[in-house]
Amino acid sequence: FSDPASNLGLEDIIRKALMGNMEERPE
Amino acid sequence: NRMHLVCPMNTSPQVDPQKSGHSIWEEFSMSFTPAVREVVEFAKRIPGFRDLSEHDQVSLLKAGTFEVLVVRFTSLFDVKERAVTFLSGRKYSVEALRSMGAGDLLNSMFDFTEKLQALNLGEEEMSLFTAVVLVSADRSGLENVNSVEALQESLIRALRSLITKNHPNEIAIFTKLLLKLPDLRSLNNMHSEQLLAFKVHP
């Protein structure tokens, strides 16, 4: 791994947590 | 052959040598994932954060999650007893953690904790400071730096006025808090080095 954030799978966790609420947001 | 994963987000610093590297990493991930999700939920409640592009929200969170967690989990570092509480609730002394390979990061975490706790911030102040920490994270890879800087400025102004209101004779607290930002950046860098150096064998 060259990127510590990738090492932890951080981006995936962050995207899922962010999108979880996006789906609930009324357009 | 005993291995250690000295991070309070882990249930215990000891790692079962019988387990595969993959399962050690899976278990560790299950421990820290809820903490990362909480940081995302916190970010969503920062006024103006959701107005940034999705790319910039993710970039700031990737760069700043550890710094936010450091602020949130200073409570795990007992400065008087020189001990750290892990996720299982068990406390480990600095000496014990040192014997497991903990180095400069542990000392720096205690220094940071001691200085932050000395400021005696209230809950609202701590929350606003944490929001400033997140939007002050590393800017590399951002699409719209101007929007992030505008958000950072408005949060810093709000923090300044809250500190001025709560501690009219101690405005130095505000300056001391802003000086914590570079400290957090260097803790983040030390943590990244540790992560890169950590290897689990299959």
Side-chain angles (χ1 to χ4, degrees), chain B residues 41-50 130-132 134-135 151 155:
Chain B
E41 293 307 318
F42 169 77
K44 286 174 176 175
R45 295 193 300 272
I46 299 173
F49 185 82
R50 298 311 298 269
T130 310
V132 169
L134 182 63
V135 301
L151 178 57
L155 290 169

Side-chain angles (χ1 to χ4, degrees), chain B residues 22-114:
Chain B
H22 180 73
S23 67
I24 290 164
W25 205 242
E26 284 280 296
E27 274 178 29
F28 182 46
S29 167
M30 278 163 62
S31 302
F32 70 72
T33 297
V36 174
R37 285 202 195 112
E38 274 180 37
V39 176
V40 177
E41 293 307 318
F42 169 77
K44 286 174 176 175
R45 295 193 300 272
I46 299 173
F49 185 82
R50 298 311 298 269
D51 299 329
L52 302 173
S53 70
E54 192 186 328
H55 175 273
D56 287 353
Q57 292 178 46
V58 173
S59 294
L60 277 178
L61 281 161
K62 267 176 74 178
T65 290
F66 174 74
E67 294 181 33
V68 170
L69 288 176
V70 167
V71 176
R72 292 180 83 128
F73 292 122
T74 46
S75 55
L76 301 176
F77 291 76
D78 188 327
V79 175
K80 270 190 192 161
E81 282 188 34
R82 303 288 292 171
V84 184
T85 305
F86 275 57
L87 211 63
S88 60
R90 194 174 157 194
K91 264 189 182 183
Y92 295 85
S93 70
V94 167
E95 289 72 28
L97 295 172
R98 283 205 168 287
S99 72
M100 297 175 202
D104 291 345
L105 180 57
L106 185 65
N107 277 344
S108 303
M109 283 296 307
F110 272 105
D111 284 349
F112 179 83
T113 301
E114 194 165 13

Side-chain angles (χ1 to χ4, degrees), chain A residues 1-5 7-8, chain B residues 6 25 66 101 103-105 108 184-199:
Chain A
F1 300 108
S2 58
D3 173 11
N7 199 349
L8 289 173
Chain B
V6 188
W25 205 242
F66 174 74
D104 291 345
L105 180 57
S108 303
L184 280 164
R185 190 63 61 87
S186 83
L187 285 169
N188 193 22
N189 291 338
M190 289 169 87
H191 183 251
S192 296
E193 281 168 24
Q194 298 273 309
L195 271 175
L196 289 175
F198 187 81
K199 288 188 176 56

Side-chain angles (χ1 to χ4, degrees), chain B residues 55-56 59-60 63 132-153 156 185:
Chain B
H55 175 273
D56 287 353
S59 294
L60 277 178
V132 169
V133 167
L134 182 63
V135 301
S136 306
D138 186 69
R139 301 258 185 271
S140 53
L142 287 181
E143 278 174 349
N144 191 338
V145 175
N146 290 345
S147 302
V148 175
E149 281 182 355
L151 178 57
Q152 183 193 32
E153 277 168 29
I156 288 177
R185 190 63 61 87

Side-chain angles (χ1 to χ4, degrees), chain A residues 7-27:
Chain A
N7 199 349
L8 289 173
L10 206 57
E11 181 162 347
D12 191 42
I13 303 166
I14 289 166
R15 280 192 187 279
K16 279 182 184 154
L18 271 177
M19 280 166 54
N21 221 32
M22 276 175 179
E23 285 161 11
E24 290 163 24
R25 284 173 102 194
E27 289 301 322

